[in-house]
Amino acid sequence: MSVVQWPHRLLTLDDWAALPEDPEHRAEVVEGVLVVSPRPLYFHQRAVNRLTYWLDEQTSPALSAMGEAEMVVTVAPLTVRVPDVLVTSALVADENPARASAEDVRLVIEVLSEGTVRTDRVTKFSEYAEVGIEHYWIVDLDAPVSMITYRLVDGEYENFGEHTGKLSLDFDGTPITLDLDALTTRHAQRP
């Protein structure tokens, strides 16, 4: 077993980029401090994959959805989040960046998992609002599968709807159809 040497200071973006990949854990940096958690379970991963695909297929060609992509929230002190799904411009995605900047992100979706509920509902909720991410959706896979959609209004998120089952909503002037019940089943809807 190898031991990673940690700097005796808060992590910088260069420190973060130099960390070895770890397929068994999920890592983020919060105000310079490395935060590590177990990888999500299968239903969580299935939901993330489906949401990413559905959004990428249904949003405007000027937008692109990515699953588990790094996003720099703040540079100093460094906060790097890895949202379950983010939507950014296709121009940014086509540059194939190592990570997105929060200022380029239009939508973040977090799927609640054991151990992330408070982080997703409280900490990330305020972080994403502070950096101006316009849309924040939180998906709860506990039966019945549900999603709360928030939109940034005057610097604070307002609840724009609580959803279950099949839903249609407008995102950036484009109608989006999602089947929340299909997020964890073996066979999913086709957009």
Side-chain angles (χ1 to χ4, degrees):
M1 181 170 123
S2 65
V3 177
V4 176
Q5 294 293 324
W6 299 108
H8 296 287
R9 64 186 182 308
L10 297 178
L11 293 177
T12 66
L13 191 53
D14 289 338
D15 295 331
W16 168 254
L19 290 176
E21 289 191 30
D22 182 352
E24 295 179 23
H25 298 94
R26 186 177 209 180
E28 297 180 319
V29 179
V30 180
E31 295 185 351
V33 178
L34 185 66
V35 178
V36 180
S37 60
R39 297 288 308 159
L41 300 176
Y42 281 96
F43 281 176
H44 182 280
Q45 292 176 348
R46 183 179 285 161
V48 168
N49 289 338
R50 295 217 170 121
L51 287 165
T52 302
Y53 174 77
W54 293 340
L55 285 169
D56 206 45
E57 289 296 306
Q58 295 181 63
T59 56
S60 155
L63 298 173
S64 182
M66 303 298 293
E68 296 188 354
E70 293 180 14
M71 176 180 70
V72 177
V73 178
T74 58
V75 175
L78 181 66
T79 296
V80 176
R81 292 296 190 178
V82 183
D84 290 317
V85 181
L86 66 77
V87 175
T88 188
S89 77
L91 293 174
V92 168
D94 289 346
E95 292 174 5
N96 197 27
R99 58 201 54 85
S101 173
E103 65 193 22
D104 295 324
V105 175
R106 301 288 314 279
L107 163 68
V108 167
I109 302 175
E110 295 289 2
V111 178
L112 300 178
S113 292
E114 187 177 344
T116 70
V117 174
R118 181 170 175 74
T119 300
D120 292 342
R121 287 190 173 150
V122 178
T123 307
K124 291 182 179 181
F125 186 88
S126 69
E127 286 176 358
Y128 297 163
E130 285 175 15
V131 295
I133 296 171
E134 185 178 358
H135 300 272
Y136 183 41
W137 301 351
I138 299 175
V139 175
D140 186 345
L141 297 179
D142 287 342
V145 177
S146 61
M147 181 171 74
I148 302 175
T149 57
Y150 296 97
R151 187 162 189 185
L152 199 61
V153 176
D154 297 326
E156 294 185 15
Y157 283 125
E158 287 190 13
N159 183 327
F160 262 63
E162 299 182 22
H163 311 274
T164 57
K166 291 184 180 180
L167 64 128
S168 294
L169 42 95
D170 180 83
F171 174 69
D172 200 50
T174 303
I176 302 292
T177 302
L178 303 173
D179 183 354
L180 299 178
D181 294 329
L183 287 178
T184 58
T185 60
R186 264 189 73 231
H187 299 285
Q189 76 177 16
R190 306 253 190 285

